[in-house]
Amino acid sequence: MGLLAGLALAPRPVLAQATMPPAKLEALKQELIGEIDKQQKATQQMVDMVFSFGELGFQETETSRYLTGILKKNGFVIKYGIAGVPTAWTATWGAGKPVIAIGSDIDCIPKASQKPGVAYHDPIIEGAPGHGEGHNSGVPLNITAVLALKKIMEREKLPGTLMLWPGVAEELVGTKAYFVRDGYFKNVDACIFTHVGDNLGVSWGDSGNNGLISVKFNFDGQAAHAAGAPWRGRSALDAVELMNVGWNFHREHMEVTQRSHYVIADGGDQPNVVPSKATVWYYLRERTYPKITEMYADALKMAEGATLMTKTTTTHEVQGSAWPVHMNKAIAEAMYQNIQLVGLPQWSAADQVLARAAQVEMKAPKTDRRNRPIDGLATKLDSLRGPEKFSIGGGSDDIGDISWNVPTVVLSYPANIPGLPGHHWANAIAMATPIAHKGVTAGAKAEALTLLDLLVRPEIIKNAWTYFNDVQTKDTKYTPLMLATDKPAINLNQSIMAQYRPQMQKFYYNPAKYKTYLEQLGIAYPTVRPAPKAGTPQ
């Protein structure tokens, strides 16, 4: 298949790292917590502003301009357009070791426009994209944490380099493997990633998810009058449909851990013309690198078979890729101690009313996949989770590629409502409300405390690299899933954003005029369906 050779990275020594007496460290942690509490207004404004932009993958222009503007104003050096992606960037501050990368995603979901604080479907703009995953909250969390930490680093003269970066087009698993390939993590000692969730937690080891290849198959045929001379045509759409039929029969003989799904991205122009061009877009997911590449090889054969049946030709384009995620034990253990120190937010009665109303609206299950009850917002901390002992597969995240190149953890923070379907307008309900604001503040505290630990407790990073080298990568070496010639698919979503952005601009948040985005939209918090009157048929 011409895939690249292995690309294992050597451990980086941590030099001249500061140490600190435990009593002083604990005092600084309490100072950090207080400083982040003082920033709650700025945090709320960032969360609400990015929510209002609602930009799809590769088109996060307003989001990136806004976030880098805040960082530049606070002394960070910005490198724009990294890895050939216009909306990607790094923001660096500090000097010396350790070098810590701090990331989170920024893109949103198609057709997920939703008024925040409203517990039923009520789009801001019908059909427009929206933050139905909650990616509006992660980089604001990171900025809150590092700006608080920066004050302490300056005063205490702590060495260390902080590098913030965004996960562009994560919903398309479209960029992080390119960031790795182009060397942006080659000198990094540790990576903390943040992702929206419904509890404050962290895990280590194999998370039980799948890696994937995202690939488009383009078929070329010959146009003809579909009624007057169909025999002169060679239908590219027939090839797409025959490939899909073959793949769907193939599923019977695949392991239970596979996940594969497709959309017909181009099915032709109009029915009376035999389609000369057609495209189908596949996500091919499995638990390990060898199984992912095996699925990919099978798909290439299916495409070739479809061309033989239709006398068409085919080409394919990799749109993105992701390795299965593996998180670092030493950093996760240090982070969980800080999570216990921070604890969950204090939810108001209004927060719980909104959450329970959304759960009723979406017919949420009674328990989640770990058998935790689903009833409003979480009031008990997650435990520190180790490797999944048994997995039948699931979602993917290209943070996996970074996790196989540098010790990495993902901090989950409680800014969303348990029991919702994900990748859905319902997951936007909480994301510009007090639920998200409180959850981001709690997450920023846990992250800032952990960053401080990494700066002044050298043993954590030393142990992290020991785990990375002697356990995680002892028998499994990172091999990119894309070719050396593959490039990020930066043109994706251009037409959708061109269609909706002019309407969406009218609803961008104006923090100079309104305290919150809820206030700007005129939404009473919470807004729920009125209770049915007695005797009303249900």
Side-chain angles (χ1 to χ4, degrees):
M1 239 180 289
L3 296 170
L4 292 178
L7 188 66
L9 297 184
R12 270 75 88 190
V14 179
L15 303 175
Q17 187 172 345
T19 58
M20 184 175 289
K24 183 174 183 180
L25 176 58
E26 292 308 309
L28 289 181
K29 286 187 175 184
Q30 291 302 319
E31 182 182 343
L32 268 176
I33 290 172
E35 182 63 33
I36 289 170
D37 279 331
K38 293 176 186 177
Q39 291 189 39
Q40 287 184 65
K41 181 61 180 175
T43 303
Q44 169 260 310
Q45 288 184 352
M46 287 189 287
V47 169
D48 288 5
M49 184 68 81
V50 179
F51 182 92
S52 74
F53 293 145
E55 295 175 302
L56 292 169
F58 289 116
Q59 310 305 321
E60 310 99 333
T61 53
E62 298 283 2
T63 300
S64 288
R65 184 183 300 114
Y66 171 71
L67 296 171
T68 55
I70 294 170
L71 290 163
K72 186 175 182 179
K73 182 179 178 180
N74 283 277
F76 283 74
V77 176
I78 314 297
K79 182 179 288 187
Y80 300 96
I82 67 170
V85 179
T87 55
W89 43 269
T90 59
T92 307
W93 179 86
K97 289 284 194 173
V99 179
I100 305 172
I102 304 147
S104 197
D105 300 319
I106 59 174
D107 59 329
C108 76
I109 300 291
K111 296 182 176 63
S113 178
Q114 170 67 20
K115 291 178 182 175
V118 178
Y120 49 84
H121 194 206
D122 190 7
I124 299 171
I125 299 170
E126 185 66 46
H131 275 289
E133 170 83 350
H135 287 174
N136 61 298
S137 57
V139 176
L141 183 160
N142 294 344
I143 292 175
T144 300
V146 300
L147 292 186
L149 180 66
K150 179 174 177 281
K151 291 183 178 181
I152 287 177
M153 291 177 69
E154 288 173 323
R155 189 189 69 212
E156 301 292 330
K157 296 180 172 56
L158 296 178
T161 303
L162 308 177
M163 184 185 82
L164 276 75
W165 57 280
V168 169
E170 186 277 334
E171 301 301 346
L172 304 168
V173 288
T175 57
K176 296 188 186 79
Y178 293 102
F179 298 166
V180 170
R181 188 178 75 181
D182 290 354
Y184 291 98
F185 288 83
K186 66 181 179 181
N187 295 314
V188 171
D189 296 296
C191 177
I192 293 180
F193 197 75
T194 59
H195 197 282
V196 61
D198 55 42
N199 207 308
L200 192 59
V202 68
S203 65
W204 62 272
D206 181 348
S207 65
N209 68 345
N210 285 350
L212 70 74
I213 286 180
S214 165
V215 56
K216 281 185 175 180
F217 293 92
N218 304 308
F219 291 90
D220 283 279
Q222 181 174 306
H225 194 302
W231 51 87
R232 297 183 64 176
R234 299 289 181 265
S235 174
L237 179 58
D238 286 353
V240 163
E241 293 190 290
L242 285 166
M243 178 180 179
N244 293 342
V245 168
W247 190 261
N248 288 328
F249 275 102
H250 181 54
R251 291 177 196 271
E252 179 185 356
H253 309 288
M254 299 171 74
E255 295 187 36
V256 68
T257 47
Q258 73 83 25
R259 298 286 189 279
S260 55
H261 19 269
Y262 57 82
V263 295
I264 297 177
D266 179 5
D269 298 310
Q270 58 192 58
N272 66 329
V273 179
V274 174
S276 62
K277 295 185 181 296
T279 298
V280 62
W281 184 5
Y282 273 79
Y283 275 18
L284 306 169
R285 310 187 196 237
E286 252 290 5
R287 290 278 293 119
T288 65
Y289 170 85
K291 289 182 178 181
I292 298 166
T293 56
E294 182 180 338
M295 285 183 74
Y296 187 26
D298 287 344
L300 292 173
K301 291 176 183 176
M302 295 284 177
E304 181 183 358
T307 66
L308 295 175
M309 288 185 282
T310 55
K311 296 183 180 179
T312 57
T313 60
T314 186
T315 58
H316 59 276
E317 307 168 76
V318 172
Q319 304 292 290
S321 65
W323 262 64
V325 174
H326 192 113
M327 297 289 99
N328 189 267
K329 184 178 182 181
I331 302 176
E333 289 175 340
M335 178 173 278
Y336 190 69
Q337 291 181 356
N338 292 316
I339 286 171
Q340 291 177 303
L341 180 61
V342 171
L344 287 168
Q346 294 297 310
W347 307 118
S348 69
D351 298 334
Q352 291 287 15
V353 166
L354 181 70
R356 292 189 173 106
Q359 288 163 347
V360 170
E361 184 76 16
M362 298 311 301
K363 299 179 173 58
K366 298 297 182 184
T367 59
D368 66 13
R369 62 179 183 175
R370 295 200 298 275
N371 207 35
R372 299 173 303 179
I374 294 175
D375 180 22
L377 300 169
T379 56
K380 181 180 179 182
L381 274 178
D382 264 348
S383 59
L384 174 63
R385 302 190 306 278
E388 289 283 343
K389 295 180 180 179
F390 176 75
S391 173
I392 60 169
S396 310
D397 192 324
D398 50 357
I399 190 62
D401 290 78
I402 292 170
S403 76
W404 285 94
N405 285 275
V406 60
T408 301
V409 296
V410 174
L411 170 67
S412 176
Y413 53 94
N416 217 316
I417 297 170
L420 303 185
H423 291 184
H424 192 273
W425 59 261
N427 290 78
I429 289 171
M431 292 313 304
T433 74
I435 295 171
H437 305 150
K438 294 172 187 177
V440 168
T441 294
K445 292 175 182 177
E447 178 173 71
L449 301 187
T450 306
L451 288 169
L452 182 59
D453 278 334
L454 294 176
L455 291 175
V456 302
R457 295 176 58 196
E459 72 275 8
I460 298 176
I461 291 180
K462 179 183 177 182
N463 292 339
W465 279 101
T466 297
Y467 176 85
F468 182 86
N469 290 311
D470 296 348
V471 179
Q472 179 182 345
T473 64
K474 180 180 180 182
D475 300 314
T476 302
K477 307 300 179 184
Y478 177 73
T479 304
L481 282 159
M482 85 284 281
L483 298 172
T485 54
D486 288 331
K487 297 179 180 180
I490 61 175
N491 294 322
L492 288 173
N493 293 322
Q494 279 185 342
S495 61
I496 298 174
M497 289 309 302
Q499 176 185 355
Y500 287 106
R501 196 187 296 275
Q503 301 172 65
M504 296 169 70
Q505 287 172 337
K506 301 172 185 177
F507 294 93
Y508 286 176
Y509 176 43
N510 182 358
K513 189 174 181 180
Y514 300 98
K515 292 181 180 179
T516 67
Y517 197 44
L518 289 173
E519 180 184 334
Q520 179 170 326
L521 295 175
I523 295 170
Y525 181 77
T527 296
V528 302
R529 289 191 186 277
K533 295 180 180 179
T536 301
Q538 299 296 306

